[in-house]
Amino acid sequence: MYFEFTEEQLMIRQAARDFAQTELKPGVIERDEHQKFPADQVKMMGELGFLGMMVSPQYGGSGMDAISYVLVMEELSKIDASASVVVSVNNSLVCYGLEKYANEAQKQKYLVPLAKGEVIGAFCLSEPEAGSDATAQHTTAVDMGDHYLLNGVKNWITNGNSASTYLVMAQTDASKRHNGINALIVEKGMEGFTIGAKENKMGIRGSDTHSLHFTDVKVPKENRIGEEGFGFKFAMTTLEGGRIGIAAQALGIASGAYELALNYAKERKAFGKSIADLQAIQFKLADMATEIEAARLLCLKAAWLKDNDQPYGKASAMAKVFASETAMKTTIEAVQIHGGYGFVKEYHVERLMRDAKITQIYEGTSEIQRIVISRDVLK
Ligand code: CAA
């Protein structure tokens, strides 16, 4: 076992760190305040190859491993989780699924521009009445011979308005339950496809979250991914990798808050000394550092398993549940260490605390991760 990164992994981590400091940090408070999507920054991340990091160069990607992906997600998320979620969704939920399961024509048409970062994608599984219970799909894709007729509503869709390519799960044969669900590639602008208002969220406010409405949208049969009825398994296997991305996002939110708290504790004076000299603060910092390190190792383990073609569903669920709970605990403590300054926007930690919460909810709540883990350990 080697606890060392390669030269290439260290270089990409440094590139992400520099990008986060120079391009994401300026304006992050304003984007959060005004719910502004980081469009310019996403374009730059596409140019840097972050949006198709793990896609093979043959399809326009950077051909990196999942370990590098964790390193990049951590660095970006320390500064701006609204930007890093675009990287996570585009890489894990959109590009990965297309590279693994789409046919050659679909890859050329849709994966290549997504991997190059020329456009971004969205993953559309959740519905108003189907979140954790993902088999309960109400969106229908009726088989009309050469096309499917798509009707229904998708909810909480990341990149909802900014995406060009949407992977939509829909029920074709309800009698087969989850085996009757298809995954369809839907393009923005298809007739009958409209985008609802942007959600006004507690955290990751720069991220572009919308509901999507489909009314008699004709989706060509050639846009179905995999065999008839493969949609649910497509979604489940794709989410296994997505959870590594969100776990690394939670890790980054936690380590970003920890670094701010550590620096503040060294600078802030109280009772005639720096508050870092007080044991009450030292113990908080010790717990934060320990839990962050454990979260990081869980993320890297899940990524390593994925890179080595070993099962990683349990590992990614463990990484996500632990890292997201660490993000919540750490950001609350970071606000506490900052005292009153932690409660105002200029010091960043209150935003990180608000951003942390979503990591316990999206791509499977903490409760769903515990279902995935317990089923695996009990089988
Ligand atoms: N890989 C492959 N197949 C899988 C699988 C996996 N990881 N997990 C389940 N399946 C298969 C099962 O084998 C089963 O198939 P068969 O009947 O052929 O054997 C089928 O899928 C149904 O599985 P279950 O019986 O286990 O289904 P369930 O109803 O008990 O639910 C669940 C399973 C794990 C709870 C699932 O519903 C789930 O993951 N829910 C959470 C959904 C989720 O994560 N949503 C996030 C939305 S996306 C998002 O947030 C993105 C964003 O914008 C940031």
Side-chain angles (χ1 to χ4, degrees):
M1 181 171 285
Y2 299 99
F3 285 96
E4 277 173 7
F5 296 117
T6 64
E7 280 291 311
E8 195 187 13
Q9 288 162 347
L10 290 172
M11 271 169 58
I12 188 75
R13 182 174 72 179
Q14 191 59 46
R17 193 173 285 171
D18 293 344
F19 176 80
Q21 286 298 329
T22 56
E23 305 296 343
L24 292 181
K25 198 167 181 184
V28 65
I29 293 173
E30 195 201 358
R31 290 195 298 276
D32 170 74
E33 179 89 13
H34 300 293
Q35 302 191 77
K36 191 168 176 289
F37 182 71
D40 295 342
Q41 291 77 4
V42 169
K43 190 168 175 291
M44 287 184 252
M45 290 193 292
E47 287 158 5
L48 283 168
F50 290 167
L51 295 181
M53 283 189 63
M54 292 173 288
V55 176
S56 117
Q58 182 192 351
Y59 295 112
S62 310
M64 289 182 214
D65 56 12
I67 298 271
S68 302
Y69 175 53
V70 166
L71 298 178
V72 167
M73 280 301 298
E74 178 178 356
E75 292 306 322
L76 301 177
S77 307
K78 281 180 185 176
I79 306 295
D80 188 354
S82 295
S84 73
V85 71
V86 180
V87 175
S88 183
V89 167
N90 207 66
N91 274 290
S92 298
L93 297 187
V94 183
C95 288
Y96 172 80
L98 287 173
E99 185 166 27
K100 189 158 171 77
Y101 298 111
N103 61 36
E104 189 56 29
Q106 291 168 340
K107 286 183 193 176
Q108 292 300 340
K109 185 169 178 189
Y110 297 108
L111 175 60
V112 171
L114 284 161
K116 286 182 176 170
E118 293 167 356
V119 296
I120 58 172
F123 179 84
C124 314
L125 176 67
S126 301
E127 298 186 353
E129 291 173 68
S132 290
D133 185 7
T135 60
Q137 296 285 303
H138 288 85
T139 298
T140 54
V142 177
D143 189 338
M144 305 298 280
D146 64 342
H147 66 271
Y148 293 99
L149 206 55
L150 185 65
N151 278 285
V153 181
K154 292 289 172 183
N155 243 22
W156 322 122
I157 304 304
T158 303
N159 303 339
N161 194 30
S162 346
S164 299
T165 303
Y166 299 77
L167 308 186
V168 181
M169 273 31 87
Q171 187 82 56
T172 294
D173 186 346
S175 70
K176 294 185 181 158
R177 296 200 66 244
H178 59 267
N179 290 319
I181 293 171
N182 280 313
L184 304 177
I185 306 171
V186 177
E187 293 174 26
K188 186 182 238 165
M190 280 183 168
E191 207 180 326
F193 173 18
T194 54
I195 295 164
K198 183 167 178 161
E199 302 291 351
N200 186 0
K201 307 188 297 291
M202 172 204 279
I204 57 162
R205 287 170 57 80
S207 163
D208 188 28
T209 313
H210 293 255
S211 59
L212 307 178
H213 301 258
F214 304 101
T215 309
D216 290 338
V217 180
K218 284 185 181 173
V219 183
K221 268 270 171 77
E222 69 216 33
N223 281 25
R224 188 188 70 219
I225 303 171
E227 294 300 309
E228 182 77 42
F230 178 62
F232 190 71
K233 287 192 179 153
F234 171 82
M236 289 297 110
T237 49
T238 305
L239 276 166
E240 285 187 349
R243 289 166 185 163
I244 299 178
I246 300 304
Q249 179 186 50
L251 166 67
I253 293 170
S255 53
Y258 163 74
E259 286 173 14
L260 290 168
L262 185 68
N263 290 336
Y264 182 82
K266 287 182 195 162
E267 283 164 17
R268 173 72 180 177
K269 299 275 185 295
F271 307 104
K273 51 187 169 184
S274 107
I275 63 169
D277 291 330
L278 303 171
Q279 199 177 52
I281 302 295
Q282 290 170 349
F283 281 12
K284 282 189 199 299
L285 292 169
D287 286 345
M288 289 158 101
T290 305
E291 287 171 18
I292 288 168
E293 188 61 14
R296 186 177 290 119
L297 291 172
L298 282 172
C299 289
L300 292 170
K301 166 91 182 287
W304 184 90
L305 290 170
K306 183 166 186 282
D307 285 336
N308 287 279
D309 295 323
Q310 295 187 36
Y312 57 92
K314 179 180 72 173
S316 68
M318 285 178 164
K320 183 176 181 290
V321 72
F322 189 83
S324 61
E325 291 182 2
T326 298
M328 206 62 247
K329 277 197 271 178
T330 305
T331 53
I332 288 173
E333 289 293 50
V335 171
Q336 191 69 18
I337 289 172
H338 279 76
Y341 293 100
F343 206 63
V344 295
K345 294 190 183 294
E346 288 83 343
Y347 285 77
H348 298 281
V349 283
E350 66 82 34
R351 185 187 70 258
L352 291 167
M353 189 183 96
R354 287 185 285 107
D355 287 352
K357 188 62 205 166
I358 192 61
T359 66
Q360 295 180 299
I361 298 172
Y362 62 14
E363 299 207 22
T365 60
S366 294
E367 291 74 19
I368 289 294
Q369 307 313 320
R370 289 186 167 93
I371 290 177
V372 172
I373 297 163
S374 58
R375 282 183 181 176
D376 191 282
V377 299
L378 288 167
K379 79 180 176 210

